[in-house]
Amino acid sequence: MKEEKKFVRGNTLVKEEDGSKLKEKAILVALKEKRPRKISSSWTTEDSLEELANLTKTAGGKVVAKVVQTRAGVDSTFYVGKGKAAEIANLVKELGADVVIFDDDLAPSQQRNLEEIMEVKVLDRTQLILDIFAQRARSSEGKIQVELAQLTYLLPRLRGKGVILSRLGGGIGTRGPGETKLEVDRRRIKERIGRLKEKLKEIEQQRDILRRKRKRNSWPVVAIIGYTNAGKSTLLNALTNAQVKVDDKLFATLDPVTRKLTLPNQESILLTDTVGFINKLPHHLIAAFRATLREIEEADLLVNVLDASHSKLEEENRATYSVLKELKVDDKPVINVLNKIDLVKNGYRLSRLRRNLDADVAISALYGDGLDALLDKIAQVLEGERVLVELLLPYHKSDLLALIHREGKVLSKEYLENEVAVRARISPQLANKLIDYRKRNN
């Protein structure tokens, strides 16, 4: 019989057998209510549990069992009821599981009660997502946002003077940048949260300066958005040779990446890859990552990338638009793009998806198919968002000329005796503001 060795590497318990690393064994648990809640009603419990399994694999775990409990509603003490919790506890021992992960958020008291009865780590969906974020964060901003979200989530889960993180002290749900010892008190966490918020505020101010510089260059900002793992980074690489790391995992990109791109009409734009959305994305996570998601808020146009090969594409798209509504940017112009068409063999399905999702363009970012059509569409939409104006600006109104440079695109300038003749493309709002300076043809 092979000898199994156990040792601690960093903060993660690693099991090894003849040098081969074994993953943490996870049991997944979901609750199917007899009267389903309206939120995410288009997703079945099984669909959501399958996505939780993918998240677990992305975090480095191995799913050894899935448990679905059907009951009238959530149990306030054990979430799934005491009897089912005891049944899962037996399953933990039988399968040698290291962690039990629930598909919804748990109240602090529910989590403590479940850990006591199961005697292993108990995590919920938010903690799992945060663990993935902790692994993915590369920039200082990303790391600060992850730590802030983790500590904010941890604060109400303190018990006495200690912290319930893990009985093993490592693994899924316990990783994070800037992590200190487990026994940290509430006061120190609050102080740390305050310092992180200050750091984030400084970074946001720096980003605001960069955004103002972008506007002075009159370059429209186009944000690539969409469900996680839809192919957003692959698209950015294909269009700009950005060389962003691409991985077939959920949340492969956490930090936004921006590159300059020249459209077929020779107009320059800034193209930004953003963090992917997901079903049941908690409100407090959106709030914690407001600085990153600000790239979407500041964009002139959104390119919504959709995985045409995914069986739950339409549900994923609804989840994406739900987050856009949460961010209050659902009124921005959007181009829906069907990606991964190389994986769709059924032409009728592709036609139906294009029709149902109002997708103007179908592409394969991996193989470069349809990219020219996408660039043409981006140029067309941006052109349609601006109006062509001819203005006569008095010399003492140089601030207006600077405003046009900052917010629009100046096509030509001619310095006359008492004024400057300007031909430009600007937003309808700015055009209305400058209506008194419109050149009137005789």
Side-chain angles (χ1 to χ4, degrees):
M1 185 174 177
K2 294 180 181 178
E3 180 185 357
E4 185 186 75
K5 305 172 185 176
K6 294 186 181 181
F7 59 93
V8 174
R9 177 182 296 154
N11 190 40
T12 304
L13 180 71
V14 179
K15 299 178 182 178
E16 290 204 349
E17 186 176 287
D18 288 350
S20 61
K21 182 177 175 181
L22 298 179
K23 298 181 177 180
E24 283 183 273
K25 295 179 180 179
I27 295 175
L28 310 185
V29 182
L31 182 71
K32 180 186 286 188
E33 296 186 44
K34 291 179 180 177
R35 297 182 66 181
R37 288 167 288 177
K38 290 182 180 179
I39 299 175
S40 303
S41 59
S42 58
W43 294 74
T44 66
T45 304
E46 289 72 23
D47 292 332
S48 189
L49 202 56
E50 182 59 33
E51 185 170 79
L52 188 70
N54 290 331
L55 286 167
T56 302
K57 292 170 188 174
T58 297
K62 177 184 178 182
V63 178
V64 294
K66 297 177 183 177
V67 178
V68 177
Q69 166 71 331
T70 302
R71 54 180 291 131
V74 172
D75 179 78
S76 59
T77 306
F78 292 99
Y79 187 77
V80 290
K82 188 172 182 178
K84 180 58 72 170
E87 184 182 313
I88 296 170
N90 290 331
L91 193 60
V92 166
K93 293 175 183 175
E94 180 185 332
L95 299 176
D98 305 293
V99 58
V100 179
I101 305 174
F102 285 74
D103 194 34
D104 281 301
D105 279 0
L106 297 171
S109 59
Q110 290 172 329
Q111 190 171 13
R112 286 195 295 268
N113 294 334
L114 289 165
E115 282 184 329
E116 286 175 3
I117 198 170
M118 295 178 185
E119 298 184 334
V120 291
K121 277 184 303 186
V122 172
L123 307 177
D124 59 23
R125 189 181 180 93
T126 295
Q127 286 173 291
L128 182 60
I129 292 173
L130 281 173
D131 185 84
I132 296 169
F133 281 7
Q135 296 179 57
R136 295 283 186 263
R138 295 291 178 268
S139 70
S140 59
E141 180 183 19
K143 291 176 181 178
I144 288 171
Q145 288 179 118
V146 170
E147 187 179 359
L148 179 59
Q150 286 179 320
L151 292 179
T152 302
Y153 194 75
L154 173 64
L155 191 58
R157 285 163 170 75
L158 299 181
R159 184 173 70 179
K161 294 183 179 179
V163 178
I164 299 299
L165 277 181
S166 167
R167 296 181 181 273
L168 295 177
I172 299 174
T174 65
R175 287 173 284 239
E179 191 172 39
T180 58
K181 64 179 182 177
L182 297 183
E183 293 75 25
V184 59
D185 61 22
R186 187 183 299 271
R187 177 182 58 80
R188 289 180 61 191
I189 288 183
K190 284 184 176 179
E191 289 174 354
R192 181 64 179 162
I193 287 174
R195 288 195 296 271
L196 290 171
K197 285 182 176 178
E198 285 300 317
K199 286 183 181 178
L200 209 52
K201 190 179 294 184
E202 291 174 8
I203 292 174
E204 285 182 16
Q205 289 171 350
Q206 292 168 1
R207 279 190 173 274
D208 284 339
I209 292 171
L210 289 174
R211 289 188 188 100
R212 285 196 291 271
K213 285 182 179 178
R214 289 177 187 173
K215 286 187 176 180
R216 281 200 294 272
N217 288 329
S218 301
W219 292 340
V221 177
V222 178
I224 303 174
I225 67 165
Y227 210 79
T228 181
N229 207 31
K232 298 180 294 299
S233 297
T234 303
L235 177 59
L236 182 74
N237 287 342
L239 293 176
T240 68
N241 194 29
Q243 297 183 340
V244 175
K245 183 181 178 183
V246 175
D247 205 347
D248 187 21
K249 291 182 178 179
L250 303 179
F251 299 113
T253 301
L254 181 58
D255 299 310
V257 178
T258 301
R259 294 291 184 272
K260 184 182 174 185
L261 174 66
T262 302
L263 297 175
N265 62 0
Q266 299 307 306
E267 182 176 8
S268 294
I269 66 169
L270 293 174
L271 193 63
T272 298
D273 184 16
T274 62
V275 62
F277 301 146
I278 198 166
N279 189 40
K280 295 184 182 178
L281 188 62
H283 175 82
H284 50 269
L285 271 191
I286 294 175
F289 286 83
R290 178 68 64 173
T292 294
L293 295 172
R294 186 89 180 273
E295 297 294 331
I296 297 172
E297 295 174 350
E298 295 290 330
D300 299 287
L301 170 65
L302 306 179
V303 172
N304 179 27
V305 180
L306 303 154
D307 181 354
S309 68
H310 201 284
S311 61
K312 286 294 174 181
L313 169 58
E314 292 175 74
E315 287 81 359
E316 289 182 347
N317 190 48
R318 277 192 281 272
T320 293
Y321 274 88
S322 175
V323 177
L324 293 181
K325 190 172 183 179
E326 178 90 9
L327 293 171
K328 298 180 180 177
V329 294
D330 50 324
D331 58 340
K332 285 184 180 289
V334 180
I335 298 175
N336 291 323
V337 179
L338 285 176
N339 188 28
K340 304 186 184 181
I341 58 171
D342 51 292
L343 299 178
V344 181
K345 306 306 178 185
N346 188 325
Y348 172 75
R349 169 180 161 77
L350 197 58
S351 298
R352 182 181 62 81
L353 288 174
R354 292 191 68 162
R355 184 174 61 252
N356 291 354
L357 296 167
D358 192 23
D360 298 291
V361 185
I363 67 169
S364 170
L366 184 63
Y367 295 105
D369 299 333
L371 296 186
D372 289 341
L374 173 58
L375 291 175
D376 288 338
K377 185 65 181 179
I378 291 173
Q380 177 191 334
V381 173
L382 287 176
E383 196 77 11
E385 289 298 308
R386 292 177 173 179
V387 294
L388 179 65
V389 294
E390 294 183 349
L391 308 168
L392 293 173
L393 300 176
Y395 282 123
H396 69 275
K397 290 291 183 179
S398 59
D399 59 319
L400 294 180
L401 182 57
L403 179 64
I404 295 169
H405 271 290
R406 193 162 60 246
E407 297 190 7
K409 182 178 182 182
V410 175
L411 303 176
S412 66
K413 283 186 298 187
E414 184 181 357
Y415 290 90
L416 307 177
E417 185 176 349
N418 299 313
E419 54 204 356
V420 184
V422 180
R423 189 166 177 267
R425 284 197 175 277
I426 57 179
S427 68
Q429 295 85 352
L430 183 55
N432 191 52
K433 183 178 179 180
L434 299 174
I435 195 168
D436 292 339
Y437 303 97
R438 288 283 187 98
K439 181 180 178 182
R440 288 169 175 78
N441 296 318
N442 295 327

